[in-house]
Amino acid sequence: MKNQQPKVAIQGIRASFHEEAAFRYFGTDIQTVECGSFKQTFEALKNKEADYVVMAIENNIAGSILPNYSLLMSYNFPIVGEVYLPIQLHFLTLPGVKFEDIKTVISHPIALRQCIDFMDEYPHIKVVESSDTAACAKRVHEEQLTDTAAIANSLAARIYELEVKERRIESNKKNFTRFLIFTSHENAKQVKANKASLCFQVSNEVGALAKVLNVLAEQEINMSKIQSMPVLGKRNEYNFYLDVEWNQPSQYDTAVRQILNYTKNFNILGEYERYMEDVVNGS
C-alpha cells in the first residue's frame, strides 16, 4: 500500500460524519468508499474493495450503537485504532437564501433530536427526517431548494457549497462520537498498544463477572467501557465487550492470562493506541 492512497469504507456519502472521522484519523489523502450500510463497509473490506473501515460505535448522548457490536463479531476484522469526533451541527442553506424563507429542515433523526432546542424556537419550520446528514446537504444543493435547510457538518457545507446560516445549533456542545478503525488481518501492523477491546462470556453464576473485574483491578488495568449483549438464541447468556487501558504491557499480559481462567469464548478484538486528543473541547 506504499505510495497510494488508502481506500477507506464509510457508511454514508462524502462529507458525512464518518468521512470527517476518517479524515481526522488518516488525514485527507484517502479514497473514500461510500457504502449504503455498515454491513456493506465490512463487505467492501472482505472483498478487498477497501483497505480500512471506519465505523461509529458509540455516542456520549445517544449511547452504544448495538447492531455494530454484532457486526464486528460476525466479520472478525481486527480493530487497529479509534478516533473521537466532536459532533457539531449547523443550519445550512443555499447561498443568499433568507432565514425567513425557510419552510422545511431536513436531516438524520438523531441530528434533529440533538438540535431540538434550536428548532423549538421556530415552530413554523417543518422538520423532515432523512437517512443521512450529508445526503440532505447534497439534496439542497442539487435540487437548489430555496425553502429548505439541512442540518449537517461544516464539511458538508464546504463540499456542497452551502451557507452556514446558524452555527453550532446542537443542544449539547460536548457531544462526540467514537469511531473504530478496522482492517484486514494481513494489513494489521504491530503497534505500541495501550488499549484493547475484548469480548467474552462468563458462566451464569454469582460473582462470575466480578472475578474478571477483580483481575483488572489487581493489575491496575483501567476499564473504560463495558457493554453486554445477549448471545443469539441462548437464554441467560451474554457477550461482554470490554475496553481496557494500561500503562505497562506486562500488566495487560498478566491480566489476559488470568481472565482466561474465568471466561469462555474469549476474543481479543483489537489492540491499538488509545486516542488522546481532548475531544470535549474539539474544534
Side-chain angles (χ1 to χ4, degrees):
M1 269 180 38
K2 282 184 179 176
N3 302 322
Q4 71 179 42
Q5 294 174 314
K7 297 191 289 289
V8 182
I10 62 164
Q11 184 271 325
I13 67 169
R14 294 288 318 278
S16 66
F17 283 109
H18 274 82
E19 185 177 57
E20 193 178 347
F23 286 166
R24 186 169 276 236
Y25 187 82
F26 293 100
T28 55
D29 191 23
I30 63 173
Q31 290 182 50
T32 301
V33 180
E34 298 176 347
C35 298
S37 68
F38 288 115
K39 182 175 182 181
Q40 284 177 22
T41 65
F42 282 107
E43 284 294 316
L45 183 55
K46 179 181 172 183
N47 297 328
K48 303 192 184 303
E49 295 159 4
D51 303 308
Y52 296 93
V53 165
V54 174
M55 182 181 77
I57 197 69
E58 62 181 306
N59 175 270
N60 68 318
I61 296 172
S64 295
I65 305 171
L66 296 180
N68 288 358
Y69 279 95
S70 299
L71 271 179
L72 69 88
M73 278 298 286
S74 56
Y75 280 89
N76 198 32
F77 287 117
I79 302 167
V80 293
E82 64 176 356
V83 63
Y84 286 80
L85 182 72
I87 303 301
Q88 300 178 354
L89 295 162
H90 313 300
F91 194 87
L92 310 179
T93 68
L94 288 174
V97 167
K98 293 180 180 175
F99 195 98
E100 52 265 33
D101 293 335
I102 297 299
K103 298 182 175 63
T104 304
V105 63
I106 54 177
S107 195
H108 188 279
I110 292 179
L112 289 167
R113 282 203 299 275
Q114 291 173 346
C115 300
I116 193 164
D117 293 338
F118 177 84
M119 292 312 305
D120 279 350
E121 295 177 27
Y122 305 97
H124 63 283
I125 298 179
K126 183 182 178 185
V127 174
V128 177
E129 295 183 354
S130 190
S131 59
D132 182 74
T133 55
C136 291
K138 184 179 182 183
R139 184 184 162 206
V140 171
H141 168 75
E142 288 185 341
E143 298 181 21
Q144 291 291 290
L145 301 175
T146 55
D147 64 349
T148 302
I151 292 176
N153 59 11
S154 56
L155 183 61
R158 189 163 71 248
I159 286 182
Y160 301 116
E161 300 172 351
L162 299 181
E163 183 181 320
V164 179
K165 197 66 74 181
E166 293 285 343
R167 191 173 294 277
R168 299 296 305 273
I169 64 170
E170 70 275 9
S171 300
N172 189 322
K173 306 301 185 206
K174 302 199 181 212
N175 177 10
F176 60 86
T177 295
R178 178 183 177 223
F179 297 79
L180 297 177
I181 316 298
F182 299 84
T183 193
S184 58
H185 287 278
E186 59 267 27
N187 197 35
K189 300 178 181 70
Q190 285 291 104
V191 296
K192 193 177 177 183
N194 55 12
K195 185 169 184 176
S197 295
L198 313 174
C199 180
F200 55 81
Q201 296 164 32
V202 295
S203 57
N204 184 23
E205 58 186 43
V206 174
L209 181 60
K211 291 174 182 174
V212 173
L213 303 185
N214 284 337
V215 168
L216 297 177
E218 286 164 8
Q219 295 302 321
E220 298 182 350
I221 302 290
N222 177 45
M223 182 182 68
S224 56
K225 180 175 178 66
I226 184 169
Q227 179 72 51
S228 66
M229 280 188 67
V231 177
L232 201 61
K234 296 194 176 179
R235 187 169 168 267
N236 293 332
E237 289 195 29
Y238 292 85
N239 280 317
F240 289 95
Y241 297 87
L242 266 63
D243 290 332
V244 297
E245 303 172 0
W246 62 88
N247 293 318
Q248 298 297 327
S250 58
Q251 295 171 310
Y252 169 68
D253 294 340
T254 300
V256 167
R257 284 197 302 272
Q258 293 181 4
I259 287 171
L260 286 170
N261 296 322
Y262 306 116
T263 60
K264 56 184 179 179
N265 297 331
F266 181 87
N267 237 311
I268 297 175
L269 304 174
E271 297 170 342
Y272 48 96
E273 280 190 87
R274 68 176 174 264
Y275 190 69
M276 294 302 292
E277 187 168 333
D278 182 4
V279 297
V280 174
N281 300 312
S283 57

